[in-house]
Amino acid sequence: MKIGMEAIERDSMDPQLMANLNRLGPVKVDHHMQTVRPAAGSTHHMLQARLQSEVEARSSRPTHNHLLASSLFDLLEERKTVTSQRELEELAKNYDMDISKLVGLARCVNSPSVAEGSVVRTVDRNGVESITMTAAWVDPVLRGHKSLLGSGR
């Protein structure tokens, strides 16, 4: 605890910090705030949802439309390679997901991809190599199907 107090005292002697705090001015407090109490049933609902989630987490069998992070990554990677609506539906089925859930998820979430031709390798004067690249959003290209999947990016 002593170390924490010393750090606070050191910071209080920093003229830049003090100047910045003075520039910000006093804290404005909204005295018209009201206490919000959850509705009677919402606490019960929250506890039930948490209990259900814990039961699903302990289960050795996957739950419909629920995936572990590693499985979600695999699903999103495999999704990039499908070429037909039928293949997409089969992929969703293999992961025990509704196709509508997969399509909705893919509008907001994707696995990392590297934009083609964006990888740049540099070596500094000490011989340390660094690699930079640009991330890209990749959606599958379905034959004979409008691009309704993913973000449309």
Side-chain angles (χ1 to χ4, degrees):
M1 194 65 178
K2 186 174 179 158
I3 294 172
M5 290 302 292
E6 290 172 3
I8 291 171
E9 286 178 19
R10 252 190 333 270
D11 282 345
S12 72
M13 293 179 215
D14 181 354
Q16 274 188 316
L17 175 64
M18 293 307 294
N20 288 336
L21 288 174
N22 284 331
R23 198 172 319 127
L24 287 173
V27 175
K28 294 178 180 85
V29 178
D30 180 4
H31 294 285
H32 301 292
M33 295 188 301
Q34 298 175 358
T35 302
V36 177
R37 301 212 187 277
S42 67
T43 303
H44 177 72
H45 176 71
M46 180 185 69
L47 293 173
Q48 285 298 108
R50 187 175 293 167
L51 179 63
Q52 176 67 28
S53 177
E54 289 175 7
V55 167
E56 290 173 4
R58 277 189 245 121
S59 173
S60 60
R61 201 184 77 183
T63 306
H64 185 68
N65 287 330
H66 288 80
L67 297 173
L68 297 173
S70 58
S71 297
L72 175 60
F73 177 82
D74 293 341
L75 168 66
L76 293 171
E77 279 296 301
E78 289 180 47
R79 177 184 161 272
K80 294 175 186 177
T81 64
V82 299
T83 58
S84 69
Q85 183 67 25
R86 186 189 59 71
E87 286 180 8
L88 186 65
E89 290 168 359
E90 189 64 31
L91 179 64
K93 182 180 172 186
N94 290 344
Y95 281 87
D96 195 23
M97 281 192 84
D98 295 331
I99 186 67
S100 62
K101 293 287 185 188
L102 174 55
V103 170
L105 175 70
R107 285 191 179 105
C108 305
V109 179
N110 207 339
S111 58
S113 295
V114 176
E116 197 171 312
S118 72
V119 178
V120 177
R121 287 179 161 69
T122 56
V123 179
D124 69 12
R125 61 187 170 138
N126 297 324
V128 176
E129 182 181 39
S130 63
I131 302 171
T132 59
M133 57 200 73
T134 304
W137 187 281
V138 177
D139 280 324
V141 179
L142 303 181
R143 293 183 307 256
H145 196 268
K146 287 185 178 180
S147 181
L148 299 175
L149 299 176
S151 65
R153 287 176 231 185

